[in-house]
Amino acid sequence: MQLFALADCNNFFCSCERVFRPELRNKPVVVLSNNDGCIVARSNEAKALGLQMGTPAYQVRELLEREHVATFSSNYALYGDMSRRVMSLLSKYSPRIDVYSIDEAFLDFSGIGDSDKIHQYACEMVRFVSKGTGIPISVGIAPTKTLAKMATKFAKKYPGYRGACLIDTDEKREKALRLFPLEDVWGIGRRYAKKMAEMGLHTAWDFTQKHPDWVRRVTNILGLQTWKELRGESCISIDELPFKKSICTSRSFPGLGISKLGDLEEAVASFASHTVRKLRERGSACQTLLVFAHTSRFRLDMPSHYLQSVRRLPTATSCLTEIVDAAMRALRAQWQGERYLYKRAGIVVWDICPESRVQLSLFDTQDRGKLGRLQKAIDVVNRTNGHDSLRTAVQGFGDKRPWHLQSLCLSRQYTTNLRQILRLAIK
């Protein structure tokens, strides 16, 4: 039987912070979004206090202080590195691993043995990763990815599973479906769940009892795939997912915003660099980009403006210098002078294709071979020394720039910055 295992890190951002602050174990912890805006991660103890995802931090500031909730700004450098460590350890347990997100990965668990051996193997994996990284994980094993995702919920909720829940028989599948709320099913979403609740469907089991024609009519082709997966038919493959149609990198600025062209250029160039990194990690290239910036929608006492400019590149590319240059040209073409305070800016790229399938132009003025070698050299330097060690001049330098994130509660980059590693005091 084909079996998929989904390894899911528990409260990942909070767990990363606790690895280097062991005194926070069993204490409420939250992590805030960019510019310390909203709650994006909560420990179980924080959830018990009634703190909700997406709640603006200022609205619950009094509760956070009264309950002594440890509050952190998002430390993406730390979370990214800890994610790589977790995935590296997981790869020991399967010849095939598909990283689904920063804290989740699917593994092929086919052919391991009977139910007892599979569960024992998964529990060993949970212990190994938790001991090696300090990050607790839960594992769900099932014949389909959707059922595996469901199984991780049970593994987290019930300690008796020892971190690993196996759904490998029809009896176990039916029991799980009857207990599982439809709104929590991967691929259903709140809108469809609300619509189906009005029709009397409240659990995953209720959904699976409907006719496939009805499912296709009420939802869509993805809803039908979810229906099949819940019934034990595997039909979702990560390999078959299409290339992302677009990639957006944007950020809100602290304070009132920024009004100087130089500051906005630095920000947009840095966003373009981040977008290039995403493209190259996926082995893809883009041909069209959009640069935008806008003032605050909530400050009615200040002049408002929305800046937007599109550029189409002659040839699809993932070259840093080409994309940054195009972004700068797009921004400068729409610049209105220092009359506005821009609160948010970003870059969107689309017309994305695999880098191996880029259609070259007969009239291309660029030496593609030379650009490719240059970009590979940049990639090597940045992989060795850290992101943006080698960058375009317009990106600027320093950590005190006005467009940088407001991170008043930022923890140290314990694993990626030698100046911020833990130091032990030996008496």
Side-chain angles (χ1 to χ4, degrees):
M1 174 191 288
Q2 184 180 34
L3 286 174
F4 300 98
L6 174 63
D8 186 0
C9 301
N10 301 343
N11 306 319
F12 180 60
F13 288 1
C14 295
S15 295
C16 288
E17 300 291 354
R18 281 173 161 171
V19 168
F20 303 95
R21 295 282 303 277
E23 73 274 15
L24 295 178
R25 291 174 185 169
N26 303 317
K27 301 288 180 64
V29 178
V30 298
V31 176
L32 305 179
S33 63
N34 291 345
N35 292 316
D36 296 342
C38 303
I39 294 175
V40 295
R42 307 160 295 159
S43 67
N44 290 336
E45 296 78 10
K47 295 174 185 177
L49 294 175
L51 293 168
Q52 301 295 318
M53 285 285 285
T55 302
Y58 75 90
Q59 292 183 359
V60 291
R61 186 69 63 191
E62 184 179 336
L63 174 61
L64 295 176
E65 294 175 355
R66 184 177 69 249
E67 300 294 338
H68 304 289
V69 178
T71 304
F72 293 92
S73 304
S74 294
N75 189 339
Y76 298 117
L78 175 64
Y79 307 153
D81 186 66
M82 293 302 291
S83 173
R84 285 188 288 273
R85 292 167 186 250
V86 169
M87 302 308 166
S88 176
L89 295 184
L90 286 174
S91 64
K92 172 186 175 183
Y93 286 85
S94 175
R96 173 72 183 274
I97 177 171
D98 293 313
V99 178
Y100 176 64
S101 68
I102 192 172
D103 62 345
E104 294 176 293
F106 286 103
L107 298 91
D108 185 357
F109 261 35
S110 304
I112 291 177
D114 60 19
S115 296
D116 289 339
K117 188 170 183 180
I118 293 170
H119 186 260
Q120 182 180 352
Y121 189 73
C123 290
E124 179 190 333
M125 183 172 72
V126 169
R127 289 193 298 271
F128 181 73
V129 173
S130 298
K131 182 178 180 181
T133 64
I135 303 293
I137 68 169
S138 298
V139 179
I141 309 116
T144 73
K145 292 182 171 67
T146 303
L147 287 172
K149 185 93 170 174
M150 179 185 298
T152 60
K153 303 288 186 180
F154 291 108
K156 291 180 180 180
K157 187 175 182 179
Y158 300 106
Y161 285 116
R162 293 182 292 153
C165 175
L166 172 63
I167 300 175
D168 60 344
T169 66
D170 287 338
E171 291 76 16
K172 291 180 182 179
R173 181 177 64 84
E174 180 177 341
K175 182 179 180 181
L177 292 174
R178 289 184 181 276
L179 292 172
F180 207 79
L182 185 56
E183 63 184 17
D184 292 338
V185 173
W186 185 39
I188 293 295
R190 292 182 181 177
R191 183 168 66 89
Y192 283 127
K194 182 178 179 181
K195 184 177 181 180
M196 293 180 192
E198 294 172 352
M199 302 176 184
L201 308 182
H202 301 284
T203 66
W205 174 257
D206 296 336
F207 180 59
T208 60
Q209 300 312 295
K210 304 301 290 186
H211 193 276
D213 292 340
W214 180 91
V215 174
R216 177 67 183 272
R217 185 174 66 254
V218 172
T219 60
N220 51 31
I221 186 63
L222 296 179
L224 183 60
Q225 285 185 332
T226 299
W227 179 85
K228 291 179 179 179
E229 289 251 330
L230 291 174
R231 292 173 64 92
E233 179 183 346
S234 179
C235 57
I236 296 178
S237 172
I238 291 181
D239 290 340
E240 295 173 357
L241 293 177
F243 268 73
K244 290 187 70 172
K245 294 182 179 179
S246 65
I247 296 175
C248 176
T249 305
S250 65
R251 182 181 298 168
S252 295
F253 305 130
L256 295 176
I258 58 179
S259 61
K260 294 182 179 180
L261 177 59
D263 293 335
L264 197 57
E265 285 179 338
E266 281 191 4
V268 171
S270 295
F271 301 158
S273 173
H274 187 69
T275 302
V276 167
R277 188 163 72 246
K278 290 181 180 178
L279 285 170
R280 296 192 66 79
E281 286 173 352
R282 293 168 171 78
S284 54
C286 72
Q287 192 161 12
T288 308
L289 63 85
L290 176 147
V291 171
F292 69 88
H294 60 76
T295 55
S296 173
R297 297 183 176 93
F298 307 104
R299 293 299 300 266
L300 302 180
D301 59 325
M302 299 171 62
S304 61
H305 185 250
Y306 192 99
L307 179 155
Q308 178 175 304
S309 184
V310 178
R311 281 290 186 276
R312 183 168 177 82
L313 302 167
T315 302
T317 183
S318 62
C319 177
L320 175 64
T321 54
E322 274 193 294
I323 292 178
V324 169
D325 178 65
M328 293 301 97
R329 291 175 183 272
L331 175 61
R332 292 163 186 163
Q334 296 294 316
W335 180 247
Q336 300 287 317
E338 298 181 4
R339 292 184 288 169
Y340 305 102
L341 282 165
Y342 293 102
K343 186 62 177 174
R344 189 177 187 89
I347 179 172
V348 184
V349 298
W350 66 93
D351 288 340
I352 296 175
C353 65
E355 198 167 21
S356 58
R357 301 179 191 172
V358 170
Q359 179 65 53
L360 300 178
S361 171
L362 181 63
F363 305 103
D364 192 357
T365 58
Q366 297 284 358
D367 184 338
R368 293 290 154 190
K370 186 176 181 179
L371 277 178
R373 292 191 295 273
L374 172 63
Q375 187 60 55
K376 287 181 180 178
I378 293 173
D379 291 343
V380 170
V381 171
N382 286 338
R383 275 198 300 269
T384 304
N385 300 285
H387 294 316
D388 287 337
S389 296
L390 201 58
R391 68 181 81 182
T392 57
V394 71
Q395 289 178 245
F397 292 88
D399 297 326
K400 300 294 184 181
R401 289 172 281 179
W403 58 270
H404 266 200
L405 289 176
Q406 175 178 288
S407 301
L408 301 180
C409 309
L410 186 66
S411 57
R412 290 191 286 176
Q413 297 177 8
Y414 298 99
T415 62
T416 57
N417 189 330
L418 283 175
R419 292 187 292 270
Q420 296 186 25
I421 61 175
L422 285 174
R423 296 181 181 180
L424 301 180
I426 301 177
K427 295 182 181 181

